[in-house]
Amino acid sequence: MLFVTLTQLLFLVLLVWLVWRVVFKKAEGDAGVKAKPREYLAWLGALIVLLAVILALLTPNNGAVVQIWSILSLPLKPLGLSLLLLLFGLMGIKKGGITKEAENYIRIATGILLFFSIPIIAFFMVQLIESDSILALQAAVHRRDKVDAIVLLGQATTQQPFLEANRVHLTDAGDRILQAAREYDLQLKLGNDASIIVSAGPRPGQRLNPNQPNPPEAFAIARILNSLGIPKSAILIEPTGVDIRTSAEAIKRKYIDEGNMSKRIILISSALNMQRARQTFAQLGISTIPSPATFYTFQAGGVPRVLFRVTQKDKCDTISITFNNAREVQFSDFMPNVDSLLLSTRVINEFWTSVYYFLRGWLSTEVDPIPSLENIKC
């Protein structure tokens, strides 16, 4: 904790220094070190940035803070940074031509868009992040752990169609719900009566009835699980979690601290954020068995395509997943497309979110290792 605290203090000191450099500058031609304030807008802009960052650290789930930060964080994403550089470049275009600085802005913006839009680069980035989740997927083939609870981080797994009020549609992350049902069935086969804790708060930016608060998404997920054969008595609703941290805190407070379940759970989340999710739960003293879903690595356009190998040793079937020589790289793998830009942005968003969690002291390095295939018994 001392290391995390020092890191946060250094970050705040660096932030104050950067704002000071924005607001003040040395007066040119003076021998002494004098500071001259810039225009009023520079003061105001720097103050807004400072307040937004401080509020994001203190109250990350505040609606106004979320909206302001979504704007200020735009340059931290490939598309936002490219648009900002292009804007700077356009400001350098005059009747007599274009300045050298503006040309450089346009070149850099074009390079960023091209780089992060190339499929082979986007899938390489996502494979690096999902590598631990791939190992967890292999280890789960013969997992025999019995737990009290299966925790499903279900935020953004469903969408409410406005024209069909009684129906629920799945998003591209909806396979997490199916993963929860599979884990429940596995626990039943092991002779264990586990519960599924569905953690998902209200959908952001959506209001079905202006006179009533937005219902938590967890209730819609519970209906889907019940339709898949999971009894209502086995489904527990946690309706306040809007992100990984708030879900972990609510589960610890409501179930573990009250003695209703042990500190070892099966955790279901996206493969992209599984490592951050496990570290977040570990920081609260909760041991997790990873059960990842929503693998972008295994998409049809994955580069290179994954290769599955199933072998049998005695009565034990094992599965291995490799990326080497799965298929030859094709010319289309180097052709930029919008899907690859979106995938690259997801990876970068996860990186910055992990940095934020680290600065808040929400991540623990003491996470249970994923067992290797050699240590898994049939």
Side-chain angles (χ1 to χ4, degrees):
M1 291 300 296
L2 178 60
F3 173 74
V4 174
T5 302
L6 289 175
T7 303
Q8 293 172 343
L9 290 175
L10 289 175
F11 174 75
L12 290 176
V13 171
L14 177 62
L15 181 64
V16 172
W17 180 81
L18 288 175
V19 173
W20 179 267
R21 295 291 297 176
V22 170
V23 176
F24 293 96
K25 65 178 180 180
K26 293 181 180 180
E28 298 180 0
D30 293 340
V33 180
K34 292 184 178 180
K36 181 170 87 173
R38 291 183 177 179
E39 292 81 359
Y40 171 75
L41 289 179
W43 278 88
L44 181 61
L47 181 60
I48 291 175
V49 172
L50 178 61
L51 290 177
V53 173
I54 293 177
L55 287 175
L57 289 172
L58 298 177
T59 57
N61 296 318
N62 182 278
V65 173
V66 171
Q67 296 300 323
I68 294 175
W69 184 247
S70 65
I71 298 174
L72 295 179
S73 64
L74 194 62
L76 301 179
K77 305 170 185 178
L79 181 59
L81 180 58
S82 300
L83 291 176
L84 186 62
L85 291 173
L86 286 175
L87 179 61
F88 290 158
L90 290 175
M91 293 172 62
I93 298 177
K94 302 177 181 179
K95 291 183 179 180
I98 183 173
T99 63
K100 186 65 175 179
E101 189 177 29
E103 288 182 359
N104 293 333
Y105 284 141
I106 295 175
R107 290 193 184 99
I108 296 174
T110 305
I112 291 174
L113 279 178
L114 287 175
F115 180 83
F116 288 104
S117 300
I118 297 176
I120 195 170
I121 293 176
F123 278 100
F124 176 75
M125 292 170 59
V126 79
Q127 285 169 11
L128 289 178
I129 289 188
E130 292 185 348
S131 58
D132 287 339
S133 294
I134 293 172
L135 295 177
L137 180 65
Q138 297 183 72
V141 175
H142 294 286
R143 182 171 10 96
R144 295 295 180 266
D145 301 87
K146 295 182 180 181
V147 296
D148 293 335
I150 302 164
V151 174
L152 168 60
L153 301 181
Q155 193 72 25
T157 57
T158 64
Q159 58 184 356
Q160 181 71 52
F162 292 97
L163 299 179
E164 301 173 293
N166 296 325
R167 303 186 66 178
V168 179
H169 292 176
L170 298 180
T171 65
D172 59 350
D175 60 340
R176 283 187 246 164
I177 301 175
L178 304 179
Q179 184 77 355
R182 285 193 291 267
E183 290 289 355
Y184 179 82
D185 291 338
L186 178 59
Q187 290 295 310
L188 287 182
K189 292 179 181 178
L190 295 175
N192 185 42
D193 187 16
S195 299
I196 299 180
I197 301 177
V198 182
S199 180
R203 299 181 182 90
Q206 187 176 115
R207 181 65 64 87
L208 298 178
N209 189 336
N211 299 321
Q212 296 180 359
N214 195 9
E217 187 179 359
F219 291 103
I221 297 173
R223 293 204 304 270
I224 296 176
L225 288 172
N226 186 239
S227 68
L228 294 174
I230 312 298
K232 292 183 179 180
S233 58
I235 303 173
L236 304 177
I237 300 296
E238 193 293 294
T240 63
V242 294
D243 53 34
I244 293 176
R245 178 66 184 188
T246 54
S247 293
E249 290 177 335
I251 290 170
K252 180 179 185 297
R253 179 178 62 255
K254 186 175 180 179
Y255 298 102
I256 295 181
D257 291 347
E258 296 293 330
N260 298 321
M261 56 177 273
S262 66
K263 292 185 177 181
R264 184 168 174 80
I265 62 171
I266 291 177
L267 182 62
I268 299 176
S269 184
S270 167
L272 198 63
N273 62 32
M274 176 56 77
Q275 184 63 21
R276 175 165 58 93
R278 296 192 69 206
Q279 290 180 312
T280 302
F281 276 79
Q283 196 273 334
L284 295 174
I286 305 174
S287 176
T288 57
I289 302 171
S291 182
T294 317
F295 279 89
Y296 294 106
T297 297
F298 300 150
Q299 288 183 349
V303 181
R305 295 186 188 278
V306 295
L307 181 65
F308 291 86
R309 290 192 180 94
V310 181
T311 59
Q312 187 175 38
K313 182 179 181 181
D314 297 329
K315 295 182 180 181
C316 182
D317 293 333
T318 60
I319 184 172
S320 67
I321 305 174
T322 180
F323 302 103
N324 295 327
N325 301 320
R327 74 170 173 87
E328 294 182 356
V329 177
Q330 303 174 4
F331 179 75
S332 59
D333 299 334
F334 297 91
M335 297 299 295
N337 59 59
V338 67
D339 293 332
S340 299
L341 179 61
L342 175 60
L343 190 58
S344 299
T345 303
R346 292 181 190 272
V347 174
I348 292 173
N349 282 342
E350 177 58 26
F351 168 77
W352 287 119
T353 306
S354 298
V355 170
Y356 174 79
Y357 270 52
F358 171 75
L359 293 173
R360 291 298 305 269
W362 290 347
L363 299 181
S364 172
T365 57
E366 299 179 0
V367 180
D368 293 339
I370 299 172
S372 61
L373 292 176
E374 293 78 9
N375 299 327
I376 300 177
K377 298 181 180 179
C378 294

